[in-house]
Amino acid sequence: MTAIDYSERIPNNVDLASDRRLQRALESWQPKFLQWWQETGPAFPVQNVYLRTAVDAGREGWAHFDHVALPDYRWGIFLAERDPDRVIGFGQHRGEPAWQQVPGEFRSELRRLIVVQGDTEPASVEQQRQLGATAPSLYDLRNLFQVNVEEGRHLWAMVYLLHAYFGRDGRDEAEALLMRRSGDADQPRILGAFNEPTPDWLSFFMFTYFTDRDGKFQLGTLRESGFDPLARTCAFMLREESHHMFVGTTGVDRVVERTAQLMQEHDTDDIAAHGGVPLAMLQRYLNFHYSVSLDLFGGETSTNVAAYFTAGLKGRWAEDTRNDDHVLVDSAAEVDAVVDGRCASIEVPAVIGLNHDLRNRYIADCESGVARWNRILAEHGIDTPLRIPHRAFNRRVGAFSASHVTPDGEIIPEPDWRSREAQWLPTAADRAHVASLMHPVLEPGRIAGWLAPPKTGINDKPFDYEYVRLA
Ligand code: BYC
């Protein structure tokens, strides 16, 4: 059964009505979620928004589009269809039937993974709370709200698992997910990048390109999980996630396009005075968001990830395409390391190097975005390309966290690094310039001057469609 029941207070396709205890527990969490949404969700008041809502967890026609008042969005619990023959694809339990209940010996590791995943979802909503007030177009405002409501739904996805499978401590963790706050000194969100502010739309596009893409890869590994309810929920989340990355990819496309146009039009790199984002500034934003997102993959060597993999809780990206034994007991792998004061690599048992493996897949994906932006620049005759900095640059987690590394991958003394930091990472002046461009443009069909309009609208609607009805 993949169809979603919208007659219930909590829309779901998990037959919630048949488990009164669970239903009551989630119904008592629901008003707390709505209160959290009021307090930390989008602050910009609007009447309603042209949003997609999931109507079926199957493949075809899974979403319905309509104007919806944000607090009336139907957050619910949607799992991809169950394959009754599914077996665990990796680790020491490879080949055994996928678990429908939490295996007792891995309970705390599994809960930890679900809590960390769940914590990122409300964090991103909190980070983006103020953006509505400076939206560059109604189309962009609509996309922001779409991303926000779906991140809220992804929180529901993890909270369902905590309530349904982890008893009392699962319920406590579900409460705690509503208590932590992005950037809060006392109760911060768990992972670094989710405590960084998203103060402007350039940051939002970079975040949805680089940080949501970590979501794609992490969800991809949890979709492989031997714990079937987690695998199924992540499979469906990934479908929603692709729009979030589309927002990032095309958002940066459009900034690059406008930057290139202004450079051509005024025959100068210095387009700040002409209301654009100079290329060097774009590069610094890219450097920042890429490096903090690399940190989200954890250390290059990690006994946590080895334990997750061996237990069958967290697989590798595209596990079934890997040409090995999927157990990795006797395998070795190269991972990044500092060797003799240089960025190099060392050989380690493959299972403890799996964060590096996933990060590598992620890096290759990021490179495709940069290639795409450089094609836009080249079409405008601009031959100073954007670049992905070296993976060791500006890292706070893992092998390079104690080193000071240039975007070219050279380890240099800290004072030298500090003296050049302003060339590499957004400066206060960059942030002030970007902030100065953030004026709301809220008439249908109009767009701010610092980015190009999108090539197509949402769900075949034109760009000048009234995607958001203002309050
Ligand atoms: N910040 O063994 P290590 C998304 C902690 S994004 C702070 O090297 P491990 C989304 C780590 O927890 C996807 N702390 O790392 C995107 C550990 O602490 P404990 C989110 C960090 O455990 C946009 C210690 O350092 N999902 O969905 O192998 C919008 C040693 O770490 C950080 C997941 O991440 C950090 N950056 O891997 C909305 C999937 N990195 O245990 C949503 C679930 C590490 O010693 N999480 N630490 O207290 C995981 O798989 C793993 O927890 C991690 C870390 C990959 C995050």
Side-chain angles (χ1 to χ4, degrees):
M1 284 291 288
T2 57
I4 292 165
D5 185 352
Y6 273 94
S7 65
E8 295 281 325
R9 209 164 117 191
I10 301 171
N12 71 90
N13 69 348
V14 293
D15 195 16
L16 196 54
S18 71
D19 187 340
R20 297 293 299 157
R21 241 174 87 108
L22 175 60
Q23 188 177 33
R24 271 200 303 277
L26 285 164
E27 283 179 358
S28 78
W29 187 81
Q30 190 176 32
K32 296 174 196 161
F33 168 83
L34 289 172
Q35 192 189 343
W36 164 83
W37 177 266
Q38 288 300 342
E39 281 169 17
T40 73
F44 187 66
V46 297
Q47 232 183 84
N48 53 38
V49 186
Y50 186 66
L51 291 179
R52 77 174 178 191
T53 304
V55 286
D56 193 296
R59 282 231 159 262
E60 294 300 318
W62 65 276
H64 168 75
F65 287 78
D66 210 345
H67 278 93
V68 179
L70 283 181
D72 297 339
Y73 185 79
R74 302 298 313 275
W75 286 281
I77 300 160
F78 316 135
L79 271 61
E81 200 157 0
R82 182 175 162 197
D83 169 3
D85 301 324
R86 181 164 179 259
V87 294
I88 300 168
F90 59 93
Q92 65 189 6
H93 296 285
R94 177 170 152 77
E96 296 175 20
W99 301 303
Q100 300 308 321
Q101 293 298 328
V102 174
E105 71 265 46
F106 306 134
R107 196 169 187 280
S108 64
E109 287 88 346
L110 195 49
R111 193 187 56 211
R112 175 79 185 153
L113 279 172
I114 293 169
V115 166
V116 172
Q117 178 62 49
D119 190 72
T120 63
E121 317 288 0
S124 67
V125 176
E126 292 161 7
Q127 288 171 296
Q128 295 160 16
R129 174 171 168 76
Q130 303 298 345
L131 288 176
T134 55
S137 72
L138 284 187
Y139 163 93
D140 290 292
L141 185 59
R142 178 262 166 212
N143 284 346
L144 167 72
F145 291 151
Q146 183 73 61
V147 169
N148 291 163
V149 293
E150 286 174 352
E151 300 301 10
R153 206 203 69 69
H154 292 179
L155 171 61
W156 270 95
M158 294 300 126
V159 164
Y160 165 69
L161 296 176
L162 290 169
H163 272 254
Y165 296 97
F166 292 88
R168 164 99 241 151
D169 44 335
R171 290 194 291 280
D172 290 346
E173 292 286 10
E175 300 276 312
L177 284 167
L178 297 177
M179 306 304 286
R180 288 186 288 273
R181 289 285 180 276
S182 176
D184 189 284
D186 299 323
Q187 296 191 90
R189 291 294 171 185
I190 297 171
L191 299 177
F194 293 89
N195 289 301
E196 299 287 347
T198 310
D200 57 66
W201 282 77
L202 180 58
S203 301
F204 174 64
F205 293 140
M206 291 287 177
F207 181 96
T208 40
Y209 186 82
F210 288 109
T211 308
D212 276 274
R213 194 165 302 271
D214 168 51
K216 165 182 162 182
F217 281 86
Q218 297 291 351
L219 289 172
T221 65
L222 297 177
R223 179 178 51 186
E224 306 285 343
S225 182
F227 179 50
D228 205 37
L230 175 61
R232 289 168 55 208
T233 207
C234 290
F236 188 66
M237 288 162 76
L238 273 164
R239 193 157 335 142
E240 292 170 317
E241 199 65 35
S242 64
H243 174 69
H244 306 186
M245 283 176 299
F246 163 87
V247 169
T249 308
T250 56
V252 181
D253 280 0
R254 292 158 54 210
V255 183
V256 171
E257 172 84 37
R258 186 67 186 136
T259 293
Q261 285 169 1
L262 288 169
M263 285 169 75
Q264 265 189 326
E265 204 175 306
H266 299 281
D267 195 19
T268 173
D269 292 353
D270 188 12
I271 56 164
H274 303 289
V277 184
L279 212 45
M281 217 180 272
L282 266 179
Q283 178 70 59
R284 287 193 285 274
Y285 270 72
L286 184 160
N287 290 349
F288 173 76
H289 287 273
Y290 176 67
S291 55
V292 299
S293 300
L294 286 184
D295 278 343
L296 292 173
F297 291 83
E300 281 65 19
T301 58
S302 163
T303 51
N304 287 345
V305 77
Y308 296 150
F309 181 81
T310 304
L313 306 178
K314 181 180 181 186
R316 286 172 293 175
W317 179 256
E319 184 67 48
D320 56 358
T321 66
R322 306 290 184 127
N323 201 8
D324 56 34
D325 67 359
H326 303 274
V327 185
L328 305 180
V329 177
D330 300 316
S331 319
E334 295 273 317
V335 301
D336 295 325
V338 175
V339 180
D340 299 332
R342 284 168 198 267
C343 296
S345 59
I346 53 170
E347 196 177 275
V348 298
V351 273
I352 72 163
L354 289 178
N355 286 340
H356 172 90
D357 177 82
L358 190 62
R359 186 165 20 238
N360 269 355
R361 300 281 170 141
Y362 168 84
I363 289 172
D365 211 30
C366 290
E367 278 165 355
S368 71
V370 176
R372 164 189 180 109
W373 302 326
N374 286 336
R375 277 197 297 276
I376 298 174
L377 291 174
E379 280 162 17
H380 288 270
I382 295 164
D383 54 10
T384 35
L386 291 164
R387 295 171 48 211
I388 286 277
H390 192 277
R391 59 180 69 201
F393 170 71
N394 193 39
R395 297 290 304 282
R396 302 248 186 286
V397 173
F400 303 114
S401 55
S403 305
H404 290 85
V405 186
T406 68
D408 290 327
E410 189 193 346
I411 298 181
I412 58 175
E414 181 175 356
D416 295 358
W417 194 92
R418 296 268 166 234
S419 71
R420 294 165 72 189
E421 184 178 352
Q423 297 167 31
W424 300 328
L425 289 170
T427 61
D430 291 345
R431 296 208 181 273
H433 174 66
V434 172
S436 78
L437 301 176
M438 298 295 124
H439 296 295
V441 177
L442 298 173
E443 295 84 42
R446 291 201 50 223
I447 182 99
W450 58 273
L451 80 177
K455 295 221 177 338
T456 52
I458 295 295
N459 194 32
D460 294 332
K461 299 284 183 215
F463 173 60
D464 63 4
Y465 184 67
E466 195 177 8
Y467 287 106
V468 182
R469 297 191 184 124
L470 301 174

